Amino acid sequence: MLRFVCFILFITFSINLTNANDDDTYTPIFFTQAEVLNSHTTRIPFKLIDHLIVVEAELLNNKGNFIIDTGSETMILNRVHFPNFYNHQRKNEETSGILQSIDNSFERKVKEFSLESLKLHDKDSDVIDMSHIEKSKKIKLLGVIGYSILKDYEVFIDLYLNQITLTKVDRFGNTLNNDVYLEKIVDSLSFTLKNHTIVVNGTVNNQKVKFGIDSAAEFNQINRKVHKKALKYFIPKRRLSLSGVGKKKIEVLAGKLHRVKLSETVYFGPMLTVLTNLNKINSAFGTQLDGILGYEFFAQKRTIINYQKETLYFINYPLNTQ
């Protein structure tokens, strides 16, 4: 039976974390496949594990994988591989995850995170047990990189070339280098940033809905409480067992969602979607969503995310000439 894990997105550069003894030593994490395009832009190839975007990395002599997740508020480290990190500081609040919030997590300060010459300082990292995801996906998972890191970049997620391009932006969202992309931007869509969540307005069968965009959602999700006019075009196929960051499992109805539009020019073909209760997601994300658009969204749209401008930009897939 298929399983669902929720995150995604990744990077290739070096991150410096304090070691487990809290002294002044910095230990780098290396994402070794990055290609530096200029002083502010890096391009990173990724592999898809099921529908998760994953990069290989090395931290404290551990070689493994990081998932890049626009739906995660912070960087998350897997306690399985960093057992001395977790006892630093227990978090007072829960860590957000897409199926439910995660309790029993710990917090670690990331002293320095660097993308070649680009550096971010004093970033928080949550530390949790992610062994169930490793087992499900059959990968060695070191952690997840989320919004707290990605927000300072314009992020091009390209499922056509299986690569992510990160380019540094100023506080207004302007890229620090011109002519970053060879491809032409053909469309755009405004979004609202609710806490760390990308929220867009759209319609399903002309019924107004509010979607969250999450690059780590392996399947789209639609709230079973949404208006019946929208649910009319959710065509169920089978039941799935889904598991999230917090190890909890739920059974959901899976099918295809039709007639999704985000604007007059941004619309989608049928997308694999699960019907579920979004109460815990809304509580974790601090907003009221009717659905989540994940892998299926990015599979149909080569998408650039600019958090500062609160805008999505789209680049066409090449025409199929076969």
Side-chain angles (χ1 to χ4, degrees):
M1 185 172 291
L2 292 177
R3 298 186 182 277
F4 173 82
V5 183
C6 26
F7 332 86
I8 202 161
L9 227 92
F10 76 28
I11 322 181
T12 74
F13 28 46
S14 65
I15 303 171
N16 294 321
L17 301 178
T18 55
N19 67 14
N21 296 320
D22 274 348
D23 60 22
D24 293 329
T25 304
Y26 294 106
T27 304
I29 169 174
F30 295 105
F31 296 81
T32 56
Q33 298 180 10
E35 177 186 357
V36 178
L37 302 184
N38 55 55
S39 59
H40 300 293
T41 305
T42 297
R43 184 164 57 208
I44 309 132
F46 62 78
K47 56 187 176 182
L48 284 173
I49 305 296
D50 294 333
H51 289 165
L52 295 175
I53 298 174
V54 174
V55 297
E56 295 180 357
E58 181 178 343
L59 173 60
L60 292 172
N61 297 318
N62 268 325
K63 291 185 178 180
N65 301 281
F66 272 81
I67 296 168
I68 302 259
D69 181 6
T70 60
S72 174
E73 183 175 3
T74 64
M75 179 187 297
I76 302 174
L77 298 178
N78 188 356
R79 191 166 68 198
V80 172
H81 300 295
F82 307 104
N84 295 326
F85 275 27
Y86 77 92
N87 56 2
H88 178 65
Q89 179 183 352
R90 184 184 293 272
K91 291 193 68 177
N92 294 323
E93 68 274 2
E94 296 174 321
T95 298
S96 61
I98 206 171
L99 288 186
Q100 67 280 309
S101 56
I102 306 159
D103 54 14
N104 197 29
S105 66
F106 296 81
E107 193 172 62
R108 188 79 185 187
K109 180 70 71 175
V110 179
K111 288 295 184 183
E112 185 177 82
F113 180 99
S114 65
L115 168 54
E116 294 301 328
S117 60
L118 309 179
K119 295 183 184 294
L120 301 173
H121 297 273
D122 295 326
K123 296 294 182 180
D124 292 329
S125 174
D126 295 328
V127 185
I128 65 172
D129 183 352
M130 303 170 73
S131 58
H132 59 296
I133 299 173
E134 289 190 301
K135 183 177 179 181
S136 174
K137 298 303 175 184
K138 297 181 175 61
I139 61 172
K140 183 177 180 180
L141 182 61
L142 299 184
V144 172
I145 294 173
Y147 164 78
S148 64
I149 302 299
L150 300 174
K151 65 182 176 64
D152 297 316
Y153 299 89
E154 193 169 77
V155 183
F156 179 19
I157 304 176
D158 187 352
L159 264 68
Y160 174 69
L161 295 176
N162 277 16
Q163 64 187 25
I164 290 175
T165 301
L166 299 175
T167 187
K168 184 72 173 177
V169 296
D170 62 22
R171 63 190 182 94
F172 301 107
N174 300 313
T175 58
L176 300 185
N177 284 94
N178 296 324
D179 303 321
V180 174
Y181 311 110
L182 296 177
E183 299 91 340
K184 180 182 179 181
I185 293 174
V186 296
D187 210 340
S188 64
L189 182 73
S190 297
F191 65 82
T192 300
L193 196 61
K194 179 64 175 178
N195 296 327
H196 65 282
T197 305
I198 297 170
V199 179
V200 296
N201 294 314
T203 63
V204 177
N205 189 30
N206 295 319
Q207 175 65 37
K208 291 182 179 180
V209 291
K210 185 176 293 185
F211 287 112
I213 306 294
D214 183 358
S215 60
E218 292 195 79
F219 308 114
N220 291 350
Q221 299 182 57
I222 189 74
N223 196 340
R224 64 190 181 195
K225 296 180 180 179
V226 77
H227 195 281
K228 62 181 180 180
K229 183 179 178 181
L231 289 182
K232 180 180 179 181
Y233 282 88
F234 170 73
I235 312 300
K237 299 292 184 181
R238 63 189 186 279
R239 292 190 176 274
L240 299 179
S241 176
L242 310 184
S243 61
V245 181
K247 296 186 179 180
K248 298 176 183 178
K249 297 179 181 179
I250 60 173
E251 187 174 271
V252 297
L253 195 61
K256 290 292 183 74
L257 184 64
H258 300 248
R259 297 196 178 186
V260 176
K261 292 182 66 175
L262 302 184
S263 74
E264 289 302 314
T265 56
V266 180
Y267 48 86
F268 299 84
M271 292 186 285
L272 182 61
T273 302
V274 297
L275 181 67
T276 187
N277 188 324
L278 293 185
N279 287 346
K280 288 201 171 183
I281 291 178
N282 286 330
S283 177
F285 285 176
T287 187
Q288 292 298 312
L289 301 175
D290 299 305
I292 300 289
L293 300 178
Y295 168 82
E296 297 275 319
F297 171 91
F298 292 98
Q300 294 193 32
K301 299 290 183 182
R302 301 170 77 193
T303 304
I304 299 167
I305 302 168
N306 190 309
Y307 286 102
Q308 309 302 328
K309 292 185 176 182
E310 297 192 356
T311 302
L312 302 176
Y313 300 96
F314 302 106
I315 291 172
N316 280 339
Y317 277 84
L319 294 176
N320 188 349
T321 58
Q322 295 183 347

